[in-house]
Amino acid sequence: MLKNNILVIALVLILSACASERPVLTGVDGSAIPPAFAHFPDVPFPDQSYIDLDETKALGTGDNWIGSLAFTTPYNASSVFDFYMSEMPKLKWKEIATVRAEISHMTYVRENRAVQILILSDGSNAARVTITAIPNPNASGY
């Protein structure tokens, strides 16, 4: 009976250790990727962003997802715009057009895909962002 109790305790300890150690996902620059964004490694996300699952409609993962990702970030819209201007080229996205305005628009292409990024200030020094990815067979010419 003592043997069984020791075995049960050992199993509980092993399983609880496994449950508490989650793999840390990292981006290209080595920074941690929030789990909700891990399926979309081909686009950067500002730290402390929160995905809006009600507004997100995406199919696929990795470099082949399509659809729209909606999220909020605690940074103002201007900072988020600057973040994408800086980070998108690091992931080999080529800028096609950008408009910094009340609702900023950014369009990028890479390989056979295009993304549009919309950035809107939420009025409280934070921003709402929507990234839409679509297939783009003409992108290879850029």
Side-chain angles (χ1 to χ4, degrees):
M1 174 126 162
L2 182 60
K3 241 187 214 181
N4 289 340
N5 288 343
I6 293 173
L7 182 59
V8 168
I9 291 171
L11 286 173
V12 167
L13 290 174
I14 291 170
L15 291 175
S16 63
C18 291
S20 65
E21 285 192 33
R22 292 185 177 148
V24 176
L25 303 167
T26 56
V28 177
D29 63 354
S31 63
I33 297 173
F37 298 111
H39 294 287
F40 314 104
D42 61 336
V43 291
F45 297 96
D47 290 338
Q48 301 174 5
S49 295
Y50 295 95
I51 197 162
D52 181 343
L53 294 176
D54 291 333
E55 296 296 320
T56 293
K57 312 287 189 270
L59 299 170
T61 60
D63 290 347
N64 294 316
W65 68 274
I66 59 170
S68 292
L69 303 175
F71 61 96
T72 57
T73 182
Y75 308 103
N76 66 43
S78 182
S79 295
V80 174
F81 186 94
D82 292 342
F83 170 82
Y84 280 102
M85 288 293 292
S86 169
E87 298 300 313
M88 290 298 279
K90 293 177 184 176
L91 293 173
K92 301 194 180 354
W93 288 99
K94 295 185 193 273
E95 178 185 324
I96 299 301
T98 59
V99 176
R100 187 186 293 248
E102 187 173 338
I103 300 175
S104 295
H105 298 255
M106 309 173 89
T107 304
Y108 292 87
V109 295
R110 183 176 90 174
E111 297 169 6
N112 60 348
R113 297 176 62 228
V115 295
Q116 181 180 41
I117 303 168
L118 300 177
I119 305 166
L120 172 67
S121 175
D122 79 351
S124 65
N125 207 27
R128 178 142 182 91
V129 181
T130 302
I131 299 177
T132 302
I134 60 170
N136 183 16
N138 298 324
S140 61
Y142 291 98

